[in-house]
């Protein structure tokens, strides 16, 4: 009888120890790297002389909004210098601007990319803006955006 109790106890101990809980970490809590790629190009042929007095200035940003507090922080910002619109390349050879953002926690951070194009006509007498902002979805590690002028 003692042998049976000893074997039963050892069996219970063996079974309980062999099934240790091996949980996987939550993917949204692990730090990741997110990559942005902006392709900037002229959407049409601006070589005509009527475009000589038209320029474009482009502002690019990556912004982090903390999900818990709603506080936004600019992580990265750059400007593509103002130039005549006819000097921007066509889509087959765009200006490429890339940026990597490290240590992003999808659960806590909402990464948004933003661009603003300021057009100046008649040597700056008239201006207009075009802008766009989008959020990286959780789990999405790369975003590519075409900016057509």
């Amino acid at each position: 009888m003692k042998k049976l109790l000893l074997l039963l106890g050892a069996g219970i101990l063996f079974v309980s120890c062999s099934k240790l809980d091996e949980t996987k970490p939550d993917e949204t809590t692990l730090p990741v790297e997110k990559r942005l790629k902006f392709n900037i190009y002229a959407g049409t042929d601006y070589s005509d002389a009527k475009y000589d007095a038209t320029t474009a200035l482009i502002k690019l940003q990556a912004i982090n909004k903390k999900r818990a507090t709603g506080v936004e922080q600019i992580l990265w910002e750059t400007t593509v210098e103002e130039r005549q619109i006819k000097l921007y390349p066509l889509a087959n050879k765009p200006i490429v601007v890339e940026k990597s953002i490290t240590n992003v926690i999808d659960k806590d951070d909402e990464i948004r990319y933003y661009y603003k194009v300021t057009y100046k006509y008649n040597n700056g007498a008239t201006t207009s803006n075009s802008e766009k902002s989008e959020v990286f979805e959780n789990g999405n590690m790369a975003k590519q955006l075409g900016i057509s002028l």
Side-chain angles (χ1 to χ4, degrees):
M1 181 73 159
K2 288 183 183 181
K3 285 183 180 182
L4 182 60
L5 287 176
L6 184 61
L7 285 173
L8 184 60
I12 291 172
L13 183 63
F14 176 75
V15 169
S16 65
C17 289
S18 65
K19 292 191 176 184
L20 294 176
D21 188 17
E22 293 184 25
T23 59
K24 291 183 179 180
D26 181 355
E27 296 284 327
T28 63
T29 62
L30 300 175
V32 295
E33 175 182 71
K34 304 235 178 197
R35 293 178 309 282
L36 292 166
K37 182 177 181 182
F38 296 93
N39 294 311
I40 304 164
Y41 56 90
T44 190
D45 180 8
Y46 293 112
S47 61
D48 193 286
K50 69 182 181 182
Y51 297 110
D52 287 352
T54 302
T55 63
L57 170 76
I58 303 169
K59 178 181 176 180
L60 308 172
Q61 287 183 331
I63 301 162
N64 182 15
K65 179 178 178 181
K66 290 293 185 183
R67 294 184 195 279
T69 63
V71 174
E72 291 187 353
Q73 174 189 10
I74 296 173
L75 301 174
W76 168 78
E77 180 176 62
T78 193
T79 302
V80 177
E81 66 184 61
E82 183 177 352
R83 64 180 85 175
Q84 285 182 310
I85 199 165
K86 66 194 227 167
L87 297 178
Y88 282 93
L90 294 175
N92 61 342
K93 293 187 180 182
I95 296 170
V96 177
V97 179
E98 295 182 86
K99 179 63 180 172
S100 292
I101 301 160
T102 58
N103 295 319
V104 176
I105 308 292
D106 271 342
K107 184 177 177 181
D108 301 329
D109 301 320
E110 180 182 276
I111 304 299
R112 183 168 38 101
Y113 61 88
Y114 167 84
Y115 78 82
K116 178 179 180 180
V117 181
T118 301
Y119 299 95
K120 294 182 182 178
Y121 308 97
N122 302 320
N123 295 315
T126 309
T127 63
S128 71
N129 295 313
S130 172
E131 54 190 303
K132 183 176 183 177
S133 176
E134 283 190 27
V135 174
F136 264 97
E137 301 83 14
N138 282 357
N140 192 349
M141 299 303 140
K143 236 2 171 169
Q144 182 169 292
L145 181 67
I147 302 173
S148 175
L149 306 175

